[in-house]
Amino acid sequence: MTAADAVRAIDCPNCGAGLDVLGGGRVVTQVCGYCGAQLDASDAYRVLKVFGDLPRPASPFSLGMSGEVRGVAFTVIGTLGQSETWGGETWAWVDHMIYSPTHGYAWITVEDGHVLLTRKVRDFDGTFLTSAAVERSEQRPGRHWRGRSYQYYATSNWRTDYVEGAFNFRPAVGDRGTTVSMMPGGRAVDMLHFVEGAHGAGEREVEVSRYAPELAAAFGAEAPRPQGTHPLQPYVPRAGTGFLAAWFGGLVAAALLGAIVVLGARGAERLLWEGVADAGGVMVPFELTATDRPARLRIETEVDQSWTWLGVEVEGPDGPVFGTGREVGYYSGGSGEDRWSEGSRRTAIGFVPGAAGPHVLRLAVEEGDRASERVRVFLRERQTNATWLLGAALLFGLAAAWFASAALRHRKRRWAGGDWTDEDDD
Amino acid sequence: MARVVLMVGSLAILGAAGWASWTGVGAVSSDAAPSARTGSTGGAFVGGARRVK
Protein backbone atom coordinates (compact mmCIF):
# COMPACT_ATOMS: atom_id res chain seq x y z
CA MET A 1 0.00 0.00 0.00
CA THR A 2 1.31 3.42 -0.92
CA ALA A 3 1.00 6.60 1.00
CA ALA A 4 -1.63 7.89 -1.40
CA ASP A 5 -3.75 4.79 -0.83
CA ALA A 6 -3.68 5.38 2.89
CA VAL A 7 -4.48 9.11 2.89
CA ARG A 8 -8.10 10.02 2.07
CA ALA A 9 -7.94 13.81 2.47
CA ILE A 10 -5.42 16.56 2.99
CA ASP A 11 -5.39 20.26 3.66
CA CYS A 12 -3.83 22.24 0.84
CA PRO A 13 -0.46 23.42 2.12
CA ASN A 14 -0.86 26.61 0.11
CA CYS A 15 -4.39 27.76 0.99
CA GLY A 16 -5.55 25.31 3.64
CA ALA A 17 -8.56 24.06 1.70
CA GLY A 18 -9.60 20.48 2.34
CA LEU A 19 -8.83 18.25 -0.66
CA ASP A 20 -10.00 14.68 -1.23
CA VAL A 21 -7.17 12.41 -2.25
CA LEU A 22 -8.32 10.31 -5.17
CA GLY A 23 -6.64 8.23 -7.80
CA GLY A 24 -4.62 5.45 -6.21
CA GLY A 25 -0.92 4.91 -5.75
CA ARG A 26 0.27 6.07 -9.16
CA VAL A 27 -0.92 9.62 -8.60
CA VAL A 28 2.06 11.95 -8.63
CA THR A 29 0.33 15.30 -8.70
CA GLN A 30 -2.58 16.88 -6.88
CA VAL A 31 -3.74 20.32 -8.01
CA CYS A 32 -5.83 22.34 -5.57
CA GLY A 33 -9.06 23.49 -7.17
CA TYR A 34 -9.24 26.50 -4.85
CA CYS A 35 -5.84 28.14 -5.18
CA GLY A 36 -4.32 26.31 -8.17
CA ALA A 37 -1.37 24.97 -6.19
CA GLN A 38 0.35 22.02 -7.84
CA LEU A 39 1.31 19.58 -5.12
CA ASP A 40 3.80 16.73 -5.28
CA ALA A 41 1.84 13.66 -4.16
CA SER A 42 5.02 11.63 -3.96
CA ASP A 43 6.71 14.12 -1.62
CA ALA A 44 4.28 14.91 1.22
CA TYR A 45 2.20 17.21 -1.02
CA ARG A 46 4.92 19.78 -1.29
CA VAL A 47 3.89 22.83 -3.32
CA LEU A 48 5.55 22.71 -6.72
CA LYS A 49 3.87 25.61 -8.42
CA VAL A 50 0.80 27.81 -8.06
CA PHE A 51 -1.30 28.40 -11.16
CA GLY A 52 -3.50 31.02 -9.55
CA ASP A 53 -7.23 31.41 -9.55
CA LEU A 54 -8.27 29.87 -12.86
CA PRO A 55 -11.84 29.75 -14.12
CA ARG A 56 -13.15 26.18 -13.97
CA PRO A 57 -14.35 25.03 -17.42
CA ALA A 58 -17.98 24.01 -17.67
CA SER A 59 -18.56 20.27 -17.44
CA PRO A 60 -21.32 18.09 -16.00
CA PHE A 61 -18.62 15.91 -14.39
CA SER A 62 -16.82 16.90 -11.20
CA LEU A 63 -14.16 15.45 -8.97
CA GLY A 64 -15.27 12.53 -6.84
CA MET A 65 -18.14 11.43 -9.08
CA SER A 66 -18.24 7.67 -9.47
CA GLY A 67 -19.85 5.50 -12.07
CA GLU A 68 -19.50 2.28 -14.00
CA VAL A 69 -17.82 2.00 -17.38
CA ARG A 70 -18.70 -1.33 -18.94
CA GLY A 71 -19.32 -2.79 -15.51
CA VAL A 72 -16.14 -1.41 -13.96
CA ALA A 73 -16.34 1.23 -11.21
CA PHE A 74 -14.41 4.43 -11.95
CA THR A 75 -14.05 7.74 -10.10
CA VAL A 76 -13.41 11.17 -11.58
CA ILE A 77 -10.07 12.26 -10.10
CA GLY A 78 -8.82 15.11 -12.31
CA THR A 79 -9.96 17.83 -14.68
CA LEU A 80 -8.03 19.44 -17.51
CA GLY A 81 -9.36 22.38 -19.48
CA GLN A 82 -7.92 22.11 -22.99
CA SER A 83 -8.11 24.35 -26.02
CA GLU A 84 -6.83 24.73 -29.53
CA THR A 85 -6.57 28.01 -31.39
CA TRP A 86 -6.11 28.07 -35.12
CA GLY A 87 -6.96 30.63 -37.74
CA GLY A 88 -8.45 32.99 -35.17
CA GLU A 89 -10.86 30.33 -33.94
CA THR A 90 -10.67 28.54 -30.58
CA TRP A 91 -12.01 25.09 -29.73
CA ALA A 92 -12.26 24.10 -26.08
CA TRP A 93 -12.96 20.81 -24.35
CA VAL A 94 -12.60 19.26 -20.92
CA ASP A 95 -10.69 16.08 -20.14
CA HIS A 96 -11.48 14.29 -16.90
CA MET A 97 -9.05 11.69 -15.67
CA ILE A 98 -10.91 8.73 -14.18
CA TYR A 99 -9.49 5.96 -12.05
CA SER A 100 -10.42 2.38 -11.27
CA PRO A 101 -8.50 0.43 -8.61
CA THR A 102 -8.70 -2.63 -10.89
CA HIS A 103 -8.43 -1.09 -14.38
CA GLY A 104 -6.27 1.96 -13.83
CA TYR A 105 -6.71 5.27 -15.60
CA ALA A 106 -8.78 6.54 -18.51
CA TRP A 107 -10.33 9.80 -19.68
CA ILE A 108 -13.82 11.21 -20.06
CA THR A 109 -13.89 14.07 -22.51
CA VAL A 110 -16.68 16.61 -22.85
CA GLU A 111 -16.53 18.42 -26.17
CA ASP A 112 -19.38 20.54 -27.54
CA GLY A 113 -21.75 18.62 -25.30
CA HIS A 114 -20.55 15.26 -26.62
CA VAL A 115 -19.15 12.77 -24.10
CA LEU A 116 -16.23 10.55 -25.10
CA LEU A 117 -14.30 7.80 -23.35
CA THR A 118 -10.57 7.59 -24.04
CA ARG A 119 -8.09 5.01 -22.88
CA LYS A 120 -4.47 4.25 -23.56
CA VAL A 121 -3.63 1.72 -26.30
CA ARG A 122 -0.94 -0.75 -25.28
CA ASP A 123 -0.99 -3.09 -28.26
CA PHE A 124 -0.40 -0.71 -31.17
CA ASP A 125 2.61 -2.11 -33.00
CA GLY A 126 2.67 0.22 -36.03
CA THR A 127 4.65 3.39 -36.61
CA PHE A 128 3.71 6.30 -34.40
CA LEU A 129 2.15 8.98 -36.63
CA THR A 130 3.61 12.39 -35.92
CA SER A 131 2.31 15.73 -37.13
CA ALA A 132 5.58 16.13 -39.02
CA ALA A 133 4.92 12.86 -40.86
CA VAL A 134 1.45 14.12 -41.73
CA GLU A 135 2.93 17.33 -43.12
CA ARG A 136 5.33 15.36 -45.32
CA SER A 137 2.75 12.88 -46.54
CA GLU A 138 1.40 13.35 -50.06
CA GLN A 139 -1.45 10.93 -49.49
CA ARG A 140 -3.83 10.71 -46.57
CA PRO A 141 -1.85 8.76 -43.94
CA GLY A 142 -3.21 5.43 -42.79
CA ARG A 143 -2.47 2.95 -40.01
CA HIS A 144 -3.73 -0.48 -38.98
CA TRP A 145 -4.76 -1.54 -35.53
CA ARG A 146 -6.49 -4.75 -34.52
CA GLY A 147 -7.20 -5.64 -38.15
CA ARG A 148 -8.89 -2.35 -38.91
CA SER A 149 -7.68 0.36 -41.27
CA TYR A 150 -7.58 3.93 -39.96
CA GLN A 151 -7.36 7.07 -42.08
CA TYR A 152 -5.91 10.39 -41.01
CA TYR A 153 -8.55 12.79 -39.71
CA ALA A 154 -6.98 15.87 -38.13
CA THR A 155 -4.11 17.32 -36.13
CA SER A 156 -4.76 19.26 -32.96
CA ASN A 157 -2.18 21.54 -31.36
CA TRP A 158 -3.61 21.81 -27.89
CA ARG A 159 -2.86 23.81 -24.80
CA THR A 160 -3.79 23.12 -21.18
CA ASP A 161 -5.68 26.07 -19.68
CA TYR A 162 -6.94 24.58 -16.42
CA VAL A 163 -5.80 21.86 -14.04
CA GLU A 164 -7.53 20.48 -10.97
CA GLY A 165 -7.41 17.22 -9.04
CA ALA A 166 -5.16 14.19 -9.07
CA PHE A 167 -3.13 12.85 -11.99
CA ASN A 168 -0.69 10.06 -12.67
CA PHE A 169 1.55 12.57 -14.42
CA ARG A 170 2.42 16.19 -13.82
CA PRO A 171 0.13 18.44 -15.91
CA ALA A 172 0.56 22.20 -15.78
CA VAL A 173 -1.27 25.20 -17.13
CA GLY A 174 0.41 26.18 -20.34
CA ASP A 175 1.40 22.63 -21.33
CA ARG A 176 1.30 22.17 -25.06
CA GLY A 177 1.10 19.07 -27.19
CA THR A 178 -0.03 17.68 -30.48
CA THR A 179 -2.59 15.01 -31.17
CA VAL A 180 -2.88 13.36 -34.56
CA SER A 181 -6.26 11.64 -34.91
CA MET A 182 -7.35 8.88 -37.25
CA MET A 183 -10.67 7.21 -37.89
CA PRO A 184 -11.70 4.04 -39.68
CA GLY A 185 -13.84 4.33 -42.80
CA GLY A 186 -17.36 3.00 -43.02
CA ARG A 187 -19.66 2.97 -40.03
CA ALA A 188 -17.06 2.17 -37.38
CA VAL A 189 -16.80 4.96 -34.87
CA ASP A 190 -13.64 5.01 -32.84
CA MET A 191 -10.66 7.30 -33.10
CA LEU A 192 -6.98 6.59 -32.70
CA HIS A 193 -4.92 9.41 -31.21
CA PHE A 194 -1.17 9.76 -31.53
CA VAL A 195 -0.41 12.15 -28.70
CA GLU A 196 2.86 13.99 -28.35
CA GLY A 197 3.38 15.72 -25.02
CA ALA A 198 0.70 13.63 -23.32
CA HIS A 199 2.60 13.30 -20.06
CA GLY A 200 5.13 16.02 -20.50
CA ALA A 201 7.41 17.21 -23.25
CA GLY A 202 8.75 14.46 -25.48
CA GLU A 203 6.34 11.80 -24.22
CA ARG A 204 4.29 9.89 -26.73
CA GLU A 205 1.14 7.84 -26.25
CA VAL A 206 -1.41 6.13 -28.45
CA GLU A 207 -4.99 6.40 -27.27
CA VAL A 208 -8.36 5.33 -28.55
CA SER A 209 -11.67 7.15 -28.07
CA ARG A 210 -15.25 6.14 -28.50
CA TYR A 211 -18.53 8.00 -28.20
CA ALA A 212 -19.98 7.44 -24.73
CA PRO A 213 -23.02 9.62 -23.96
CA GLU A 214 -24.20 6.99 -21.44
CA LEU A 215 -21.42 8.03 -19.06
CA ALA A 216 -23.30 11.13 -17.93
CA ALA A 217 -26.09 9.02 -16.48
CA ALA A 218 -23.63 6.40 -15.24
CA PHE A 219 -21.79 9.04 -13.19
CA GLY A 220 -24.93 10.84 -12.06
CA ALA A 221 -24.07 13.91 -14.11
CA GLU A 222 -26.54 16.04 -15.99
CA ALA A 223 -26.48 15.00 -19.63
CA PRO A 224 -25.00 17.84 -21.71
CA ARG A 225 -26.74 18.97 -24.89
CA PRO A 226 -24.61 17.92 -27.87
CA GLN A 227 -23.96 20.58 -30.48
CA GLY A 228 -23.61 19.47 -34.10
CA THR A 229 -22.31 16.09 -35.20
CA HIS A 230 -19.20 14.78 -33.49
CA PRO A 231 -16.70 12.76 -35.58
CA LEU A 232 -17.15 9.85 -33.19
CA GLN A 233 -20.90 10.01 -33.12
CA PRO A 234 -22.48 6.79 -34.45
CA TYR A 235 -25.39 7.06 -36.82
CA VAL A 236 -28.70 6.57 -35.07
CA PRO A 237 -31.54 6.70 -37.59
CA ARG A 238 -34.52 8.80 -36.66
CA ALA A 239 -37.73 6.89 -36.24
CA GLY A 240 -39.38 6.34 -39.60
CA THR A 241 -36.43 7.28 -41.77
CA GLY A 242 -36.39 3.93 -43.56
CA PHE A 243 -40.16 3.92 -43.89
CA LEU A 244 -40.21 7.42 -45.40
CA ALA A 245 -37.47 6.48 -47.88
CA ALA A 246 -39.60 3.53 -48.98
CA TRP A 247 -42.74 5.67 -48.97
CA PHE A 248 -41.29 8.30 -51.27
CA GLY A 249 -39.73 5.59 -53.42
CA GLY A 250 -43.20 4.14 -53.83
CA LEU A 251 -44.58 7.55 -54.74
CA VAL A 252 -41.88 7.89 -57.41
CA ALA A 253 -43.08 4.63 -58.94
CA ALA A 254 -46.71 5.75 -58.68
CA ALA A 255 -45.98 9.12 -60.31
CA LEU A 256 -44.02 7.53 -63.15
CA LEU A 257 -46.75 4.97 -63.71
CA GLY A 258 -49.28 7.79 -63.72
CA ALA A 259 -47.20 9.68 -66.29
CA ILE A 260 -47.21 6.63 -68.55
CA VAL A 261 -50.97 6.31 -68.19
CA VAL A 262 -51.46 10.01 -68.88
CA LEU A 263 -49.28 9.89 -71.99
CA GLY A 264 -51.22 6.87 -73.22
CA ALA A 265 -54.51 8.68 -72.67
CA ARG A 266 -53.73 11.33 -75.27
CA GLY A 267 -55.60 11.19 -78.51
CA ALA A 268 -53.69 10.02 -81.56
CA GLU A 269 -51.95 12.72 -83.57
CA ARG A 270 -53.28 12.96 -87.13
CA LEU A 271 -52.12 14.85 -90.17
CA LEU A 272 -54.57 17.64 -90.95
CA TRP A 273 -53.02 19.12 -94.00
CA GLU A 274 -49.84 19.20 -96.06
CA GLY A 275 -49.15 21.74 -98.76
CA VAL A 276 -47.82 25.18 -99.59
CA ALA A 277 -49.11 28.14 -97.64
CA ASP A 278 -48.68 31.70 -98.86
CA ALA A 279 -49.83 35.18 -98.05
CA GLY A 280 -53.29 34.39 -99.34
CA GLY A 281 -53.65 31.66 -96.76
CA VAL A 282 -55.36 28.31 -96.76
CA MET A 283 -58.50 27.08 -95.03
CA VAL A 284 -58.37 23.58 -93.62
CA PRO A 285 -61.65 22.08 -92.40
CA PHE A 286 -61.42 19.49 -89.67
CA GLU A 287 -63.58 17.79 -87.09
CA LEU A 288 -63.11 18.08 -83.34
CA THR A 289 -64.75 15.35 -81.32
CA ALA A 290 -63.48 15.89 -77.76
CA THR A 291 -63.79 19.06 -75.68
CA ASP A 292 -62.91 17.76 -72.22
CA ARG A 293 -59.20 18.37 -72.66
CA PRO A 294 -57.06 20.76 -74.75
CA ALA A 295 -56.19 20.11 -78.38
CA ARG A 296 -52.80 20.75 -79.95
CA LEU A 297 -51.83 21.87 -83.41
CA ARG A 298 -48.28 21.03 -84.45
CA ILE A 299 -46.94 22.83 -87.51
CA GLU A 300 -43.83 21.67 -89.37
CA THR A 301 -42.14 23.79 -92.04
CA GLU A 302 -39.11 23.39 -94.25
CA VAL A 303 -37.54 26.79 -93.54
CA ASP A 304 -33.77 26.77 -93.99
CA GLN A 305 -31.54 29.81 -93.48
CA SER A 306 -34.77 31.76 -93.38
CA TRP A 307 -37.73 32.64 -91.23
CA THR A 308 -41.43 33.06 -91.64
CA TRP A 309 -44.34 34.38 -89.62
CA LEU A 310 -47.39 32.17 -89.79
CA GLY A 311 -50.83 33.51 -89.02
CA VAL A 312 -53.00 30.81 -87.45
CA GLU A 313 -56.72 30.98 -86.75
CA VAL A 314 -59.21 28.35 -85.74
CA GLU A 315 -62.94 28.83 -85.91
CA GLY A 316 -65.48 26.41 -84.45
CA PRO A 317 -69.24 25.99 -84.47
CA ASP A 318 -69.61 28.75 -81.89
CA GLY A 319 -67.29 31.20 -83.60
CA PRO A 320 -63.57 31.99 -83.34
CA VAL A 321 -61.61 29.70 -81.04
CA PHE A 322 -58.33 31.58 -81.26
CA GLY A 323 -56.25 33.65 -83.59
CA THR A 324 -52.54 34.06 -83.21
CA GLY A 325 -49.23 33.83 -85.02
CA ARG A 326 -45.93 32.02 -84.80
CA GLU A 327 -42.44 32.79 -86.02
CA VAL A 328 -40.50 29.82 -87.38
CA GLY A 329 -36.86 30.15 -88.38
CA TYR A 330 -33.88 27.89 -88.80
CA TYR A 331 -30.24 28.77 -89.42
CA SER A 332 -27.13 26.61 -89.42
CA GLY A 333 -23.50 26.76 -90.46
CA GLY A 334 -20.01 25.43 -89.99
CA SER A 335 -18.97 21.84 -90.30
CA GLY A 336 -17.70 19.04 -88.14
CA GLU A 337 -17.21 20.02 -84.50
CA ASP A 338 -17.83 23.67 -85.39
CA ARG A 339 -21.25 22.93 -86.77
CA TRP A 340 -23.98 25.08 -85.27
CA SER A 341 -27.66 25.65 -85.66
CA GLU A 342 -30.29 27.82 -84.07
CA GLY A 343 -34.02 28.13 -84.20
CA SER A 344 -36.54 25.46 -85.12
CA ARG A 345 -38.55 24.41 -88.16
CA ARG A 346 -41.60 23.57 -86.10
CA THR A 347 -44.01 25.16 -83.68
CA ALA A 348 -47.09 24.11 -81.72
CA ILE A 349 -50.24 25.73 -80.38
CA GLY A 350 -52.34 24.26 -77.61
CA PHE A 351 -55.91 25.49 -77.38
CA VAL A 352 -59.17 24.80 -75.61
CA PRO A 353 -61.83 23.51 -77.99
CA GLY A 354 -65.02 25.51 -77.68
CA ALA A 355 -67.41 22.85 -78.89
CA ALA A 356 -67.30 19.57 -80.74
CA GLY A 357 -68.08 19.67 -84.42
CA PRO A 358 -66.66 21.09 -87.63
CA HIS A 359 -63.81 23.56 -87.31
CA VAL A 360 -61.74 25.51 -89.78
CA LEU A 361 -58.05 26.22 -89.55
CA ARG A 362 -56.82 29.29 -91.41
CA LEU A 363 -53.11 29.41 -92.07
CA ALA A 364 -51.16 32.08 -93.90
CA VAL A 365 -47.58 33.24 -94.40
CA GLU A 366 -47.77 36.82 -93.16
CA GLU A 367 -44.12 37.79 -93.13
CA GLY A 368 -40.75 36.25 -93.77
CA ASP A 369 -37.90 35.72 -96.17
CA ARG A 370 -40.05 33.85 -98.64
CA ALA A 371 -43.58 34.40 -99.97
CA SER A 372 -44.66 30.82 -99.39
CA GLU A 373 -43.66 27.87 -97.25
CA ARG A 374 -44.28 24.16 -97.44
CA VAL A 375 -46.19 23.23 -94.29
CA ARG A 376 -47.52 20.13 -92.56
CA VAL A 377 -50.16 20.54 -89.85
CA PHE A 378 -50.92 17.85 -87.26
CA LEU A 379 -53.74 17.79 -84.72
CA ARG A 380 -53.93 15.90 -81.44
CA GLU A 381 -57.09 15.93 -79.35
CA ARG A 382 -57.47 15.10 -75.68
CA GLN A 383 -54.06 16.56 -74.90
CA THR A 384 -52.59 15.75 -71.47
CA ASN A 385 -49.53 17.17 -69.73
CA ALA A 386 -47.36 14.56 -68.01
CA THR A 387 -44.93 17.26 -66.87
CA TRP A 388 -46.78 17.60 -63.56
CA LEU A 389 -46.47 13.93 -62.72
CA LEU A 390 -42.86 13.83 -63.87
CA GLY A 391 -42.15 16.87 -61.70
CA ALA A 392 -43.84 15.15 -58.76
CA ALA A 393 -41.73 12.03 -59.42
CA LEU A 394 -38.62 14.20 -59.32
CA LEU A 395 -39.74 15.82 -56.07
CA PHE A 396 -40.52 12.46 -54.49
CA GLY A 397 -37.24 11.10 -55.78
CA LEU A 398 -35.35 13.88 -54.04
CA ALA A 399 -37.26 13.20 -50.82
CA ALA A 400 -36.56 9.46 -51.08
CA ALA A 401 -32.88 10.16 -51.72
CA TRP A 402 -32.79 12.53 -48.74
CA PHE A 403 -34.13 9.94 -46.33
CA ALA A 404 -32.22 7.05 -47.89
CA SER A 405 -28.94 8.97 -47.67
CA ALA A 406 -29.29 9.91 -43.99
CA ALA A 407 -26.50 7.53 -42.94
CA LEU A 408 -24.22 8.73 -45.73
CA ARG A 409 -24.83 12.39 -44.86
CA HIS A 410 -24.10 11.63 -41.23
CA ARG A 411 -20.79 10.04 -42.25
CA LYS A 412 -19.92 13.08 -44.33
CA ARG A 413 -20.64 15.37 -41.38
CA ARG A 414 -18.42 13.20 -39.17
CA TRP A 415 -15.51 13.69 -41.54
CA ALA A 416 -16.31 17.32 -42.34
CA GLY A 417 -14.13 18.57 -39.46
CA GLY A 418 -11.02 16.84 -40.76
CA ASP A 419 -8.13 18.94 -41.97
CA TRP A 420 -6.79 16.74 -44.77
CA THR A 421 -7.04 18.22 -48.26
CA ASP A 422 -6.10 16.18 -51.30
CA GLU A 423 -3.99 17.94 -53.87
CA ASP A 424 -6.71 17.28 -56.44
CA ASP A 425 -9.22 19.16 -54.28
CA ASP A 426 -7.26 22.42 -54.49
CA MET B 1 -47.13 13.30 -36.39
CA ALA B 2 -44.53 14.73 -38.77
CA ARG B 3 -44.58 11.43 -40.63
CA VAL B 4 -48.35 11.61 -41.08
CA VAL B 5 -48.09 15.21 -42.31
CA LEU B 6 -45.43 14.16 -44.83
CA MET B 7 -47.52 11.24 -46.03
CA VAL B 8 -50.74 13.24 -46.38
CA GLY B 9 -48.91 16.16 -48.01
CA SER B 10 -47.14 13.93 -50.50
CA LEU B 11 -50.38 12.16 -51.40
CA ALA B 12 -52.00 15.56 -51.97
CA ILE B 13 -49.11 16.54 -54.26
CA LEU B 14 -49.45 13.27 -56.18
CA GLY B 15 -53.20 13.79 -56.52
CA ALA B 16 -52.83 17.38 -57.69
CA ALA B 17 -50.10 16.43 -60.15
CA GLY B 18 -52.22 13.58 -61.48
CA TRP B 19 -55.24 15.81 -61.95
CA ALA B 20 -53.20 18.55 -63.63
CA SER B 21 -51.54 16.04 -65.93
CA TRP B 22 -54.79 14.30 -66.85
CA THR B 23 -56.69 17.51 -67.63
CA GLY B 24 -53.77 19.00 -69.55
CA VAL B 25 -53.09 21.98 -67.31
CA GLY B 26 -50.34 23.98 -68.97
CA ALA B 27 -50.96 22.45 -72.40
CA VAL B 28 -52.77 25.55 -73.65
CA SER B 29 -50.67 28.28 -75.27
CA SER B 30 -51.07 31.60 -73.57
CA ASP B 31 -51.86 33.36 -76.85
CA ALA B 32 -54.50 30.77 -77.75
CA ALA B 33 -56.23 30.56 -74.40
CA PRO B 34 -59.89 31.57 -74.22
CA SER B 35 -58.92 34.74 -72.37
CA ALA B 36 -56.62 35.72 -75.24
CA ARG B 37 -59.09 35.15 -78.09
CA THR B 38 -59.06 37.97 -80.59
CA GLY B 39 -60.98 36.32 -83.38
CA SER B 40 -58.45 37.35 -86.01
CA THR B 41 -54.76 37.81 -86.50
CA GLY B 42 -55.68 41.04 -88.24
CA GLY B 43 -54.87 40.96 -91.85
CA ALA B 44 -53.90 37.58 -93.08
CA PHE B 45 -57.35 36.59 -94.05
CA VAL B 46 -58.71 39.90 -95.21
CA GLY B 47 -60.16 39.11 -98.60
CA GLY B 48 -60.53 35.43 -97.76
CA ALA B 49 -58.26 32.41 -97.87
CA ARG B 50 -58.36 29.56 -100.33
CA ARG B 51 -60.12 26.49 -99.07
CA VAL B 52 -58.28 23.21 -99.21
CA LYS B 53 -59.55 19.74 -98.72
Side-chain angles (χ1 to χ4, degrees):
Chain A
M1 182 177 288
T2 66
D5 285 331
V7 178
R8 295 292 177 207
I10 60 165
D11 292 334
C12 174
N14 188 55
C15 69
L19 303 175
D20 290 332
V21 173
L22 306 164
R26 294 181 64 187
V27 166
V28 297
T29 305
Q30 176 98 19
V31 179
C32 175
Y34 298 93
C35 67
Q38 185 190 42
L39 312 176
D40 188 346
S42 57
D43 187 9
Y45 294 97
R46 179 173 57 89
V47 177
L48 297 171
K49 199 183 294 182
V50 178
F51 301 128
D53 190 16
L54 299 170
R56 180 181 283 118
S59 169
F61 297 90
S62 57
L63 299 185
M65 278 185 167
S66 293
E68 287 197 349
V69 180
R70 291 180 174 175
V72 178
F74 277 85
T75 302
V76 177
I77 63 169
T79 299
L80 295 180
Q82 310 276 61
S83 68
E84 179 188 12
T85 300
W86 189 81
E89 205 172 342
T90 298
W91 295 266
W93 64 97
V94 181
D95 285 333
H96 294 285
M97 178 162 261
I98 58 176
Y99 167 70
S100 160
T102 55
H103 287 67
Y105 300 88
W107 294 95
I108 290 175
T109 300
V110 181
E111 183 177 25
D112 295 332
H114 300 275
V115 180
L116 318 174
L117 177 67
T118 302
R119 62 178 176 81
K120 185 176 180 178
V121 171
R122 301 179 190 280
D123 59 349
F124 180 79
D125 56 4
T127 306
F128 189 92
L129 182 60
T130 64
S131 57
V134 172
E135 287 294 326
R136 288 194 303 269
S137 182
E138 294 184 356
Q139 293 184 325
R140 187 188 286 266
R143 291 289 186 273
H144 284 83
W145 179 56
R146 292 189 176 178
R148 186 180 284 172
S149 176
Y150 290 76
Q151 300 287 307
Y152 171 77
Y153 175 72
T155 298
S156 168
N157 295 305
W158 47 264
R159 179 185 187 278
T160 300
D161 300 320
Y162 178 84
V163 185
E164 178 187 8
F167 300 89
N168 63 352
F169 63 105
R170 202 149 276 171
V173 172
D175 279 355
R176 291 180 183 276
T178 301
T179 299
V180 175
S181 300
M182 312 184 81
M183 288 201 298
R187 294 185 175 183
V189 278
D190 58 339
M191 187 179 270
L192 268 187
H193 305 288
F194 296 86
V195 189
E196 295 177 88
H199 294 171
E203 289 219 16
R204 290 177 170 182
E205 185 169 290
V206 181
E207 300 171 347
V208 63
S209 293
R210 69 170 177 86
Y211 199 66
E214 73 279 3
L215 293 184
F219 280 74
E222 186 181 348
R225 292 190 65 180
Q227 306 291 316
T229 301
H230 192 274
L232 282 172
Q233 192 170 355
Y235 172 64
V236 179
R238 286 187 178 182
T241 300
F243 169 80
L244 286 172
W247 169 263
F248 282 109
L251 288 185
V252 170
L256 291 177
L257 187 65
I260 292 171
V261 170
V262 158
L263 286 171
R266 294 182 303 172
E269 189 178 65
R270 65 182 196 265
L271 178 65
L272 272 191
W273 180 72
E274 180 175 10
V276 176
D278 56 18
V282 293
M283 294 174 61
V284 182
F286 64 97
E287 197 77 20
L288 267 181
T289 58
T291 59
D292 58 334
R293 295 208 291 259
R296 182 172 184 260
L297 283 172
R298 187 165 64 84
I299 302 169
E300 289 186 358
T301 69
E302 296 180 359
V303 292
D304 192 25
Q305 313 295 7
S306 62
W307 68 279
T308 191
W309 179 270
L310 297 171
V312 185
E313 286 184 21
V314 167
E315 192 167 316
D318 297 337
V321 177
F322 72 87
T324 186
R326 284 287 190 278
E327 181 179 329
V328 182
Y330 183 80
Y331 299 87
S332 62
S335 61
E337 291 185 355
D338 296 329
R339 182 166 178 77
W340 61 270
S341 67
E342 64 179 30
S344 174
R345 294 189 173 100
R346 61 186 62 177
T347 186
I349 301 170
F351 64 96
V352 179
H359 285 64
V360 176
L361 163 68
R362 293 169 180 163
L363 185 69
V365 172
E366 295 185 351
E367 288 183 76
D369 293 331
R370 298 189 294 195
S372 62
E373 291 291 347
R374 185 158 191 84
V375 175
R376 293 201 303 168
V377 182
F378 299 86
L379 175 71
R380 187 198 295 276
E381 293 186 70
R382 309 204 74 202
Q383 183 69 28
T384 59
N385 187 1
T387 308
W388 298 102
L389 278 168
L390 292 174
L394 178 65
L395 187 68
F396 296 147
L398 291 173
W402 175 262
F403 287 110
S405 65
L408 182 67
R409 287 183 283 112
H410 176 84
R411 200 177 306 170
K412 276 187 156 310
R413 286 197 299 273
R414 283 180 50 218
W415 283 88
D419 60 14
W420 181 264
T421 305
D422 285 315
E423 295 289 327
D424 296 341
D425 295 341
D426 291 341
Chain B
M1 184 62 187
R3 198 191 318 183
V4 173
V5 170
L6 274 176
M7 291 169 66
V8 172
S10 57
L11 280 178
I13 290 173
L14 180 64
W19 178 84
S21 292
W22 183 260
T23 56
V25 172
V28 177
S29 305
S30 59
D31 56 352
S35 59
R37 284 176 188 170
T38 60
S40 170
T41 56
F45 302 114
V46 175
R50 63 189 164 88
R51 185 179 184 85
V52 300
K53 189 176 179 182

